[in-house]
Amino acid sequence: MNIHTSSEQNESQGTVSVSLKGIPTDQGQALKEVAKARDINQSALLREMVNASMGSIIHVFCLKSPLVASLDQDIAQYNGSLVLPAWNAAPPAPQFEAAYRDLLGIRTEDDLTRILLRNAQYLRMRTSQVMPRGQQFYGGTALYFALFCDVARRDDQTIEAFWASIARFWGQWYRRQDYYQQINQLRSVLDLDPAERLYQARAKGVYSQAEIFEGEDGEKGLRQVLLTLRTENTRALPADAIQLFTLPICNGHILTPDPGYGAPLIFPNNVLGMGFRFREESCSLHCYSVEAPQIGDTQTLTEVAVELVRYVDEPLKAYASTIPVNML
């Protein structure tokens, strides 16, 4: 491959000319056919391909930084994983690249280096949050983990903006409550106050608290619910005391546990129904709401949150007489 700097200049930077040799015949033919289909010449097609991968400061840094490679190996050793070549990973989409750079003030590779060094000690925690043990991952993951850790350091507006512009596109399985839970785990280690979540209703009891959020897709009447245990009060309880709880009946609302959080429950009248359970101190549900004169007044979301908390607290309140609790 031959490279030389072109005398042609644009407004911001020079250009280089690159000559490629040794491309296999079938791949050269594929380039020719794709260029023809796009109605552009092969040089323009190659230029687009290079710009797509080499135009990302984040991706290029992942490819060439020895610090990123070293931290990738540390993650792999910690998690019993194998690092796949960074070159095989796709660069972030342009809109995500722009969001990263804007939200975190990334202008140069020095900025990325500072973010890496500032968050290196928290990468193992981030690994534990999202990566199953033994899972293979692409080189460059350490940088993306560091970027997330850096978001956790920022103000509430930046944290919410990162969710809106980047994190919510990571998959339907990844919910706002998951995001904020991970953010606040990191903020706890960083000795920072929890980030405020944008919830529609909230209730706090002795042994649990409930938060109700607008559904991510904006569907009318659909909301997400996050129940979390107050571990300072539940840690000393017997394990079987917090295994299974009854769902409250709230007029105008249907509560359904998300997969993994539901469990069959036999009621005192020998009727089989659905209950809910906590996993890793949290429980996720969906709330379907409707307002119609046929059913009477629909309870408010705050009333729903209060009922959820009450249905956790009520069967546990007897323990408060023997096991001290924090009422704040």
Side-chain angles (χ1 to χ4, degrees):
M1 179 174 68
N2 299 320
I3 302 177
H4 67 271
T5 302
S6 170
S7 59
E8 299 176 5
Q9 300 285 324
N10 58 31
E11 293 181 357
S12 60
Q13 61 185 15
T15 62
V16 297
S17 298
V18 180
S19 299
L20 297 177
K21 296 181 179 180
I23 297 177
T25 302
D26 56 346
Q27 295 177 19
Q29 182 62 29
L31 283 171
K32 183 177 180 180
E33 292 173 356
V34 171
K36 182 179 180 181
R38 292 279 310 280
D39 195 25
I40 58 176
N41 59 46
Q42 293 183 59
S43 294
L45 176 61
L46 285 170
R47 188 161 53 247
E48 285 186 9
M49 295 170 67
V50 170
N51 287 339
S53 57
M54 295 294 102
S56 165
I57 184 176
I58 295 174
H59 184 61
V60 170
F61 193 71
C62 290
L63 293 175
K64 72 178 189 179
S65 169
L67 178 58
V68 173
S70 176
L71 291 172
D72 280 335
Q73 290 299 330
D74 182 75
I75 290 173
Q77 183 178 10
Y78 169 72
N79 203 52
S81 305
L82 176 67
V83 183
L84 302 174
W87 181 256
N88 292 336
Q95 67 269 27
F96 297 146
E97 169 96 8
Y100 273 116
R101 297 181 66 166
D102 180 57
L103 292 173
L104 298 180
I106 299 169
R107 299 293 179 266
T108 67
E109 291 184 356
D110 288 341
D111 296 325
L112 292 173
T113 299
R114 281 190 288 270
I115 288 174
L116 264 178
L117 293 174
R118 185 162 58 236
N119 297 287
Q121 62 182 310
Y122 306 111
L123 299 186
R124 290 188 174 189
M125 182 175 183
R126 179 61 181 153
T127 301
S128 299
Q129 288 180 333
V130 298
M131 188 181 293
R133 183 157 184 82
Q135 177 178 301
Q136 297 178 340
F137 63 91
Y138 287 112
T141 295
L143 177 59
Y144 287 98
F145 282 6
L147 293 172
F148 187 91
C149 293
D150 215 64
V151 170
R153 297 173 177 271
R154 305 303 177 100
D155 56 35
D156 289 349
Q157 290 75 22
T158 301
I159 290 171
E160 179 61 23
F162 186 85
W163 164 258
S165 58
I166 297 176
R168 72 186 181 95
F169 297 103
W170 288 347
Q172 290 186 341
W173 56 269
Y174 193 63
R175 302 153 305 174
R176 178 186 268 115
Q177 56 258 46
D178 300 320
Y179 169 71
Y180 271 97
Q181 183 178 37
Q182 293 167 358
I183 287 288
N184 285 332
Q185 285 174 346
L186 287 163
R187 288 179 69 86
S188 175
V189 174
L190 291 163
D191 291 326
L192 298 172
D193 292 333
E196 288 293 328
R197 292 177 270 210
L198 302 180
Y199 51 81
Q200 290 186 292
R202 186 181 193 184
K204 185 176 183 180
V206 176
Y207 295 102
S208 67
Q209 63 180 18
E211 294 170 322
I212 301 178
F213 304 86
E214 189 69 45
E216 297 302 337
D217 57 5
E219 182 179 340
K220 183 180 180 180
L222 173 60
R223 297 175 176 88
Q224 295 178 323
V225 182
L226 176 64
L227 267 172
T228 54
L229 291 174
R230 293 187 58 186
T231 53
E232 71 272 25
N233 291 337
T234 60
R235 193 175 293 113
L237 298 180
D240 59 355
I242 53 176
Q243 279 188 344
L244 187 60
F245 297 91
T246 305
L247 284 165
I249 298 175
C250 300
N251 198 53
H253 306 277
I254 299 175
L255 291 163
T256 60
D258 288 347
Y261 296 99
L265 181 67
I266 299 177
F267 293 95
N269 59 354
N270 295 325
V271 173
L272 180 65
M274 178 65 72
F276 68 91
R277 60 184 175 181
F278 290 89
R279 299 179 63 183
E280 298 181 355
E281 289 83 45
S282 69
C283 177
S284 177
L285 308 96
H286 272 76
C287 177
Y288 300 87
S289 307
V290 65
E291 294 186 15
Q294 303 95 307
I295 62 173
D297 293 336
T298 294
Q299 290 182 257
T300 67
L301 293 177
T302 297
E303 289 173 326
V304 174
V306 168
E307 282 296 282
L308 280 165
V309 166
R310 187 172 72 85
Y311 269 60
V312 174
D313 280 10
E314 193 67 25
L316 300 178
K317 66 180 183 181
Y319 292 102
S321 61
T322 56
I323 302 175
V325 293
N326 178 9
M327 301 297 293
L328 299 178

